[in-house]
Amino acid sequence: HPEVDRSAQATYDLTDREAEEEALAGTVRGTHFAVSVPDSDAQAREKRGFLGRFQQGFERAFDGFRDRYSAVLERAVARRGFTVSVMLTLALVSCGLFFFLGHEFFPEIKSGSLQMHMRAPLGTRIEVTSRIVSLVAKDIKRLLPGDQVEGIISNCGLPVGVHNLAFIPTPSVGTMDCDISISLKDKESKVWELREILRKGLAERYPGTRFTFQPSTLTAQILNFGSPAPIDVQVNGPNARANYQFARKLADKLRDVPGARDVVIQQPMRMPTLLVKGNRTFERSLSLSHENFGHNQLIANAGSLQFDIHYWLDHETGMSYPINVFIPQFEMTEANDLKTLPIGRGHSGGVTSSPDLLGNVATISPVGTPGLINHADLMPVFDIYVSAEGRDLGSVLADVEEIANEMESELPRGAELVIRGQAENMQQAQFELLIGLIGAMVLVYLLIVVNFQSWLDPFIIITAFFGAFAGIAWILFATYTNISVPALTGAIMAMGTATANSILVVAYARERLELHGDALRAAIEAGTARFRPVLMTASAMIIGMVPMALGNSPNAPLGRAVIGGLALATVFTLLFVPCVYAIIYSRRSAPAEQAEGNA
């Protein structure tokens, strides 16, 4: 304006944005002004083509949207007490939805493979197990609807070599066990539904054969740390047989837990075994010893390669070959065949010219023996594996812990009951993330205190957290998503972005309050002026998280938590935070105005 003092122009230099905001306010230092655009600039915009017209249309629509928001904000600030009370109540009630959400470490995703374990009746020979698993493979293709099976690979018996036992996580303990890998044509199949179909169908067709499922994805296998199930209840104590009886009783009760599946005891104690008990009277009369019994039976059934090694040298090639001597398996098909084993009197267990038969000097009886022995802290341990299906892992774990606590009084003397596995790590990880979330909120508040040199403004800024928590609760509840490590990580990210947006509003309101001293006007101007950057930041974050939230990945809860938390936190930033600012600073400025009036 030509009448504006030049020194005032020098001391109050306005940018284009500030000029626009002051035009909305009305005056600058008491002088009215208007901002006009030359006709040449308007004509230049007209020549931009489709993009120019789109930009103009978008700007008009956005300005209209901002004007409507400004009108809503004015009404909210006018009734700021009612607005704050209603929004705060809704946020706190919404946070109650967290109590209806389940807990899990990482969510299970759709997959194109299934990993199943089959255990035939104890003592089943490997060839019989092979025939059973062939029938099972045909029934799997028949039970799964829509011709979904692409291929089935079965691996029966114990792995060859100790290295395979170390590097292949398998619950196999004998010839009756089979690991079955099922590949599906649809790589994003709902594997949890297919597992239920197979559990029911195979159990009805093969009584006495137990089918359990292990994690098929790499993420689940890593989280289980090689265990075939996420919950591992361990019974550890000096008395193995008493511990096994207690483990069986505990497993029966755990099978009644809703959502508990594939409850099995890893270590069988009733493997069919033939006990050869020598008659010491006959042994002395025939000059035999228990060493003769052991060596002869070991050579006859397992071979001599372990303790009586002999080699044959091929002089033509210079190669030596180990010689293993044993009775062919097809000649040892019945228990009575053991009675015809010759027992020699040699020191090395070899057969003499006049051997005695095993049936003459010993009795053979069937007994049950441990099929697998594991130790923890030098004492035998029994693992009860429990998987969760159709219910979140945290709820199943809570019921398992309750039953375990009830049965602690029945533990054998000196035994200990411990729950390990993925569930234990889940609780620890979620607790640490929750502590990290609270610590992040406190640290952010203290950093803002240092930056603003005030304890009050940072408190107003973090009130946007109420909206973030409510939004996270609603979106997790609406999408049937459990609380998990990715969801808590997304909550931390949403808190950070919500804090940044709230800082924009409060910092600008603080500047306007210092300029004209009207807290209500400053709150309205801050919301209107920072409407665009707040929406830009929130929209960019939300749009970027949409593919993750809709995708088939373990990090989908992270995207959902960010979208829900940031969406509602933005509403609180643009409505709730200005109202809180207006309430606090209008009360602080009222006494000062009264004091000036009295003066």
Side-chain angles (χ1 to χ4, degrees):
H1 195 278
E3 298 179 1
V4 176
D5 185 72
R6 295 182 180 276
S7 60
Q9 288 181 342
T11 58
Y12 197 80
D13 188 15
L14 297 176
T15 63
D16 293 339
R17 169 56 61 187
E18 291 173 335
E20 183 181 354
E21 294 168 357
E22 292 296 346
L24 293 174
T27 61
V28 177
R29 295 185 178 272
T31 304
H32 293 272
F33 73 97
V35 179
S36 62
V37 179
D39 293 339
S40 58
D41 293 342
Q43 294 174 359
R45 285 206 198 118
E46 292 291 341
K47 297 179 181 179
R48 289 180 183 176
F50 171 77
L51 294 178
R53 292 192 297 272
F54 174 79
Q55 181 182 3
Q56 292 179 13
F58 176 81
E59 289 293 337
R60 286 194 297 270
F62 184 82
D63 290 340
F65 181 48
R66 183 174 59 183
D67 293 340
R68 290 190 293 273
Y69 157 73
S70 181
V72 173
L73 180 59
E74 289 179 3
R75 291 194 293 269
V77 171
R79 305 182 63 184
R80 50 194 175 275
F82 174 78
T83 302
V84 169
S85 300
V86 171
M87 296 186 72
L88 183 60
T89 301
L90 292 177
L92 294 178
V93 172
S94 299
C95 290
L97 294 174
F98 284 114
F99 295 100
F100 296 94
L101 299 176
H103 295 262
E104 58 187 359
F105 204 164
F106 275 77
E108 185 178 16
I109 63 174
K110 299 176 183 178
S111 176
S113 62
L114 289 171
Q115 189 68 30
M116 187 175 71
H117 182 79
M118 183 196 79
R119 176 168 290 180
L122 297 179
T124 303
R125 293 174 64 92
I126 187 67
E127 58 270 21
V128 178
T129 305
S130 177
R131 290 195 294 268
I132 294 176
V133 78
S134 299
L135 298 175
V136 169
K138 294 179 181 178
D139 287 330
I140 290 174
K141 296 180 180 179
R142 179 181 59 84
L143 290 171
L144 295 184
D147 191 24
Q148 299 187 49
V149 179
E150 184 177 19
I152 299 176
I153 300 175
S154 59
N155 185 13
C156 298
L158 292 175
V160 178
V162 295
H163 293 86
N164 288 341
L165 285 173
F167 293 108
I168 300 178
T170 173
S172 298
V173 298
T175 57
M176 65 281 179
D177 288 315
C178 276
D179 291 321
I180 304 174
S181 300
I182 307 169
S183 58
L184 306 173
K185 295 179 180 179
D186 184 7
K187 302 308 177 184
E188 293 189 1
S189 301
K190 296 181 179 179
V191 290
W192 47 89
E193 296 179 355
L194 303 182
R195 286 197 296 260
E196 285 296 310
I197 294 174
L198 294 179
R199 283 192 185 100
K200 182 178 179 181
L202 295 177
E204 293 176 352
R205 188 170 179 83
Y206 299 93
T209 300
R210 180 166 292 171
F211 299 93
T212 58
F213 289 88
Q214 285 78 45
S216 57
T217 61
L218 182 61
T219 301
Q221 292 175 359
I222 293 174
L223 294 176
N224 283 352
F225 294 96
S227 174
I231 301 177
D232 180 10
V233 184
Q234 293 185 344
V235 183
N236 186 16
N239 192 337
R241 296 199 176 274
N243 293 342
Y244 178 71
Q245 295 301 325
F246 174 81
R248 290 185 60 194
K249 186 176 180 180
L250 178 59
D252 290 338
K253 290 192 175 184
L254 295 180
R255 292 187 180 99
D256 296 332
V257 173
R261 299 289 188 275
D262 303 335
V263 181
V264 294
I265 301 176
Q266 170 63 10
Q267 296 83 1
M269 289 288 288
R270 298 181 177 181
M271 291 290 290
T273 307
L274 294 176
L275 175 62
V276 179
K277 187 176 182 180
N279 190 319
R280 294 185 180 273
T281 303
F282 285 119
E283 289 177 15
R284 291 174 181 176
S285 62
L286 298 175
S287 300
L288 294 175
S289 65
H290 277 70
E291 182 182 6
N292 301 129
F293 281 81
H295 286 178
N296 281 270
Q297 291 180 68
L298 183 61
I299 291 176
N301 296 297
S304 61
L305 196 61
Q306 296 294 328
F307 69 96
D308 191 15
I309 303 176
H310 294 277
Y311 292 91
W312 173 74
L313 175 63
D314 186 355
H315 294 281
E316 295 182 358
T317 61
M319 299 288 293
S320 60
Y321 300 92
I323 300 175
N324 189 16
V325 179
F326 61 93
I327 298 177
Q329 291 187 1
F330 61 85
E331 294 186 6
M332 299 292 294
T333 58
E334 299 179 1
N336 289 330
D337 294 336
L338 288 175
K339 297 180 179 181
T340 61
L341 286 180
I343 303 297
R345 301 183 180 87
H347 293 288
S348 62
V351 179
T352 62
S353 58
S354 58
D356 296 299
L357 299 181
L358 181 63
N360 295 334
V361 294
T363 57
I364 302 175
S365 58
V367 296
T369 56
L372 177 66
I373 300 176
N374 295 113
H375 291 84
D377 298 331
L378 301 179
M379 290 188 293
V381 61
F382 290 92
D383 297 279
I384 305 174
Y385 293 132
V386 183
S387 299
E389 195 82 272
R391 193 179 178 206
D392 64 284
L393 181 60
S395 300
V396 175
L397 176 62
D399 291 345
V400 170
E401 290 177 340
E402 182 180 356
I403 294 176
N405 293 333
E406 292 176 356
M407 295 190 63
E408 277 193 352
S409 59
E410 304 179 24
L411 274 170
R413 184 176 181 180
E416 181 185 15
L417 192 60
V418 182
I419 298 178
R420 303 190 185 278
Q422 181 188 143
E424 180 187 22
N425 298 322
M426 176 196 70
Q427 290 181 325
Q428 182 180 358
Q430 291 189 358
F431 176 76
E432 292 175 352
L433 276 175
L434 186 60
I435 295 299
L437 178 60
I438 298 173
M441 294 170 57
V442 174
L443 181 60
V444 167
Y445 175 75
L446 295 178
L447 289 175
I448 302 175
V449 167
V450 174
N451 188 30
F452 278 71
Q453 294 297 309
S454 169
W455 293 94
L456 192 57
D457 287 345
F459 171 76
I460 300 174
I461 290 171
I462 66 172
T463 55
F465 287 169
F466 293 108
F469 281 121
I472 294 170
W474 271 111
I475 196 167
L476 295 182
F477 181 79
T479 57
Y480 300 97
T481 304
N482 296 320
I483 298 175
S484 59
V485 170
L488 292 176
T489 305
I492 296 176
M493 295 176 62
M495 296 299 173
T497 308
T499 302
N501 289 339
S502 187
I503 289 175
L504 289 176
V505 175
V506 174
Y508 191 80
R510 187 178 183 180
E511 294 177 3
R512 305 305 298 171
L513 183 63
E514 293 176 354
L515 180 64
H516 50 65
D518 188 347
L520 303 184
R521 180 182 168 190
I524 296 173
E525 290 174 351
T528 304
R530 296 308 184 199
F531 184 71
R532 183 190 294 266
V534 168
L535 283 188
M536 272 177 38
T537 305
S539 300
M541 193 76 167
I542 290 174
I543 293 173
M545 287 294 172
V546 168
M548 180 184 294
L550 299 178
N552 181 39
S553 72
N555 291 323
L558 186 150
R560 296 168 190 167
V562 171
I563 291 173
L566 198 53
L568 205 52
T570 302
V571 176
F572 270 63
T573 300
L574 295 174
L575 289 176
F576 185 81
V577 172
C579 289
V580 174
Y581 187 90
I583 290 175
I584 294 178
Y585 278 96
S586 62
R587 293 179 179 177
R588 289 171 62 90
S589 60
E593 293 176 358
Q594 292 178 0
E596 292 178 359
N598 295 332

